[in-house]
Amino acid sequence: MADLILNVDFAASERPRKKESGNRKHKRFLQRRRALERRGVLKQKQLPAAQPPPPPGSGCQKKPGPRGRRSKKQGAADAAGSGPEKPNSVRPRPCPEANGAASIAQNGSEETRFPSKPKTAARGRAKGNQKAPGFPPQPGKLVAIDCEMVGTGPGGRTSDLARCSIVGYQGDVVYDQYIRPAAPIVDYRTRWSGIRRQHMVNAVPFSKAQREILRILSGKIVVGHAIYNDFKALKYFHPKALTRDTSKIPLLNRKGGFPENIAISLKRLTKELLHKDIQVGKSGHSSVEDARATMELYKVVEAEWEQHLMLNPEQE
């Protein structure tokens, strides 16, 4: 049988060298960063935020993790950041509460970053309050309007403004002017409007009259009978919440004994509820007289109608 020769080396084997943690690129980055910090080149937001150490017993210290083998990535990261540091540099480990406070201090207050919903709702309520009139309305905020029209265009079928009268709560005349339309007048409609050729000699041009009238109506509660026609002649739309049309107030019809869903003429309502005769004779209507009658009709049901509108704003 052949001899078996074993060559055994009892010398201590050299331990394999540990792999140098981190890589050269990261080390060069850290060295360059420290150099820039010393020179003061780095911007403030790039520097690590210095946080005061948490008070003892505050529970902000990092809890030790479970024992065991750490991952290679974690070991490399710890080794890369374990180099010598300047005495002034601080590497704080703030607790989540402190970190959140620092973030709010840099980017603005918490109220600015996260606006609360109640403020938005308050703005919406304030906006709604601007549209809705108070109850009861102040007499100085109420005016009544009536307009007279003439015919222009082909056949005089287009209605253009020729006179406008505005009265206050007590019937005082706020505005009363004859107005010259931009288009030539074809039909004066004197039987209804009371307008004649001589009234146009010193009449106010429409553009000027419109500016004056809208300045008076601005912010006011405007009362009128079939007031849509007056606004159409003025080429203007008043806010619905500030408009009171006596031809569309069912309470007025009910008090006069008329059907609620039918528009009754101003003349019939005035006769039945105010016991006055208006629009009589062949000289035409008086817009001042009609505006005063409209205001008086509104005052008959003012308290009840305004309370109804306050409780049912969608019916304005």
Side-chain angles (χ1 to χ4, degrees), residues 186-207:
V186 177
D187 184 1
Y188 283 90
R189 303 178 184 176
T190 305
R191 180 180 175 184
W192 299 277
S193 67
I195 307 295
R196 290 173 172 80
R197 186 182 298 274
Q198 59 266 27
H199 293 144
M200 293 293 107
V201 175
N202 297 318
V204 180
F206 173 79
S207 57

Side-chain angles (χ1 to χ4, degrees), residues 146-151 155-156 159-160 162-163 178 187-196 199 230 265-267 278-290:
D146 188 78
C147 297
E148 301 297 340
M149 275 72 81
V150 293
S159 295
D160 274 350
R163 184 183 180 185
Y178 289 101
D187 184 1
Y188 283 90
R189 303 178 184 176
T190 305
R191 180 180 175 184
W192 299 277
S193 67
I195 307 295
R196 290 173 172 80
H199 293 144
D230 300 321
S265 69
L266 178 64
K267 183 176 181 177
I278 61 171
Q279 301 176 357
V280 294
K282 297 182 179 181
S283 58
H285 301 176
S286 168
S287 52
V288 173
E289 182 184 54
D290 290 354

